[in-house]
């Protein structure tokens, strides 16, 4: 396994110095990023890593026999990382831990006395100052509950409002007073939960409907993101403004928000077909000013080279919203790739960027003629197979339409060059 880690992260050294988009290597999943651009996450689901432009990838902790548990999270200044690794003093059962980057020391955070599948507790979220950590701990072999650790103090259980079901804490506000995650309903459906000073409530939309699992919270605890159970929409919930839903143009897709910046103004998410590989998802960036924009289109609108990566599953954002990361697909290489995007210092979501990046196609799936809808002037169009082979190319796109009747059924990538840059989207040929 050690050799596999080295090969996977060795690609990191190929990333260009000061690059706007960096390739972090094969099967690298970014889960969090510091304001200094240090990324953390897991590789192959088997070990936790830390990556920076200066030092590339370093393994900082291995998972248990069944792989890693929880998420790796890093403080805004990059000084500490929370994760879960085997505790040698407790029969190598996985336990939440705080890793000091400077000293490389591990401080195990404790558990609630029970274990399941080789683990006792796991860390899932951390405040940007590194002082508040939240996650899950087992209370029996079949039941767990959300927990938090505050600035070195002993573990505190958040309980569960459904005695035979579990809860989990996934994110925490700056001062630790607001925690979000999920609470299992009696039927096992994960409901969005918010704990204010340790007291749980279920998150509800503007009509009083219970929302799905919450995945992120702003520093002030007033904005929460997650997924709506009943309709498969992502949501942005604000205690004052109410709930905004985000969905895909494809009715068969499920949309989920994954992470949120500290100020609550920038979020990442993905829309995906639940019957297909998650690497075929459509990753996006959402901002209060610009709304939802496909992440590849957004990056193209900024004039960045995407290194051939489709940013399918964005799952990491720095507290200040300047760095984005996750895992995507490089179809030309037939590989899953971890990625880090460094955004410009200026405002992230100007109206010009959002407008020039917006493109859609219809019908999708397509039988023969596909129409490209964009406000920009189309200069050329190319279609690539899932294996990365170019199967169609046209320097002239009359009436914004191309004829794909010669293609066989399957999944393809459409790349459209416009006068504003390169835009990419996925299409299905019937």
């Amino acid at each position: 396994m050690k050799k596999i880690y080295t090969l996977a992260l060795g690609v990191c050294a190929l990333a260009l110095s000061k690059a706007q988009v960096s390739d972090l290597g094969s099967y690298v999943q970014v889960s969090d990023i510091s304001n200094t651009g240090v990324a953390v996450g897991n590789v192959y689901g088997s070990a936790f890593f830390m990556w920076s432009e200066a030092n590339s990838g370093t393994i900082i902790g291995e998972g248990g026999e069944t792989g890693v548990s929880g998420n790796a999270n890093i403080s805004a200044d990059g000084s500490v990382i929370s994760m879960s690794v085997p505790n040698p003093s407790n029969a190598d059962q996985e336990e939440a831990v705080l890793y000091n980057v400077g000293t490389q020391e591990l401080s195990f955070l404790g558990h609630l006395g029970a274990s399941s599948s080789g683990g006792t507790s796991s860390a899932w979220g951390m405040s940007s100052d590194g002082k508040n950590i939240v996650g899950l701990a087992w209370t029996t072999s079949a039941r767990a509950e959300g927990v938090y650790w505050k600035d070195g103090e002993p573990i505190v259980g958040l309980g569960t409002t459904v005695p035979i079901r579990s809860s989990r804490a996934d994110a925490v506000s700056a001062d630790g007073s607001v925690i979000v995650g999920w609470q299992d309903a009696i039927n096992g459906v994960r409901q969005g939960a918010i704990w204010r000073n340790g007291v749980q409530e279920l998150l509800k939309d503007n009509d009083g409907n219970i929302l799905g699992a919450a995945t992120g919270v702003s520093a002030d605890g007033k904005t929460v993101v997650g997924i709506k159970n009943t309709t498969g929409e992502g949501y942005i919930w604000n205690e004052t403004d109410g709930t905004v839903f985000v969905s895909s143009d494809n009715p068969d897709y499920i949309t989920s928000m994954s992470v949120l910046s500290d100020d609550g103004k920038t979020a990442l998410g993905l829309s995906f077909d639940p019957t297909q590989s998650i690497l075929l998802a459509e990753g996006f960036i959402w901002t209060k000013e610009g709304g939802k924009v496909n992440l590849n289109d957004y990056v193209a609108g900024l004039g960045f080279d995407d290194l051939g990566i489709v940013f399918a599953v964005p799952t990491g954002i720095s507290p200040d919203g300047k760095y984005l990361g996750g895992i995507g697909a490089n179809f030309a290489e037939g590989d899953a790739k971890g990625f880090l995007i460094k955004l410009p210092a200026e405002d992230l979501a100007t109206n010009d960027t959002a407008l020039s990046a917006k493109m859609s196609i219809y019908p999708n799936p397509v039988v023969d003629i596909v129409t490209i809808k964009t406000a920009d002037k189309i200069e050329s169009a190319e279609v690539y197979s899932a294996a990365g082979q170019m199967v169609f190319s046209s320097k002239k796109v009359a009436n914004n339409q191309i004829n794909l009747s010669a293609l066989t059924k399957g999944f393809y990538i459409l790349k459209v060059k416009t006068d504003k840059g390169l835009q990419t989207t996925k299409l299905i040929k019937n």
Side-chain angles (χ1 to χ4, degrees), residues 354-373:
L355 286 174
S356 65
K358 190 173 182 62
M359 180 183 78
S360 62
I361 61 172
Y362 63 91
N364 192 17
V366 59
V367 176
D368 43 34
I369 304 296
V370 63
T371 299
I372 304 167
K373 185 178 180 182

Side-chain angles (χ1 to χ4, degrees), residues 253-288:
Y253 277 27
I254 292 173
T255 299
S256 176
M257 311 303 295
S258 52
V259 286
L260 181 68
S261 61
D262 265 12
D263 63 8
K265 294 181 179 180
T266 305
L268 301 178
L270 62 152
S271 296
F272 61 96
D273 182 342
T275 67
Q276 301 290 329
S277 166
I278 195 68
L279 290 175
L280 300 180
E282 298 176 352
F284 62 83
I285 181 172
W286 175 93
T287 62
K288 293 190 71 173

Side-chain angles (χ1 to χ4, degrees), residues 163-248:
I164 63 172
R165 293 295 186 178
S166 298
S167 66
R168 191 178 77 196
D170 281 9
V172 58
S173 65
D175 63 3
S177 64
V178 179
I179 297 168
V180 302
W182 51 260
Q183 167 67 59
D184 278 341
I186 190 67
N187 62 359
V189 173
R190 291 182 175 180
Q191 304 169 111
I194 182 169
W195 290 267
R196 293 186 177 94
N197 297 312
V199 179
Q200 187 199 107
E201 299 175 40
L202 296 180
L203 287 166
K204 298 180 180 180
D205 65 16
N206 303 340
D207 298 319
N209 301 308
I210 297 173
L211 296 169
T215 55
V217 65
S218 58
D220 62 8
K222 295 182 178 180
T223 304
V224 180
V225 296
I227 182 172
K228 186 175 181 181
N229 286 329
T230 54
T231 60
E233 296 173 282
Y235 68 80
I236 302 99
W237 175 95
N238 182 273
E239 69 174 32
T240 302
D241 300 333
T243 308
V244 174
F245 292 109
V246 180
S247 61
S248 169

Side-chain angles (χ1 to χ4, degrees), residues 59-115:
I59 297 299
I60 56 175
E62 296 191 44
E65 293 183 0
T66 59
V68 299
S69 297
N71 284 330
N73 286 275
I74 188 168
S75 58
D77 63 3
S79 63
V80 294
I81 297 168
S82 61
M83 54 184 178
S84 312
V85 298
N87 186 343
S89 66
N90 188 21
D92 279 334
Q93 295 192 90
E94 286 182 280
E95 184 177 326
V97 69
L98 191 65
Y99 174 80
N100 185 301
V101 175
T103 65
Q104 299 184 13
E105 294 179 339
L106 297 175
S107 299
F108 286 93
L109 300 176
H111 50 85
L112 296 179
S115 65

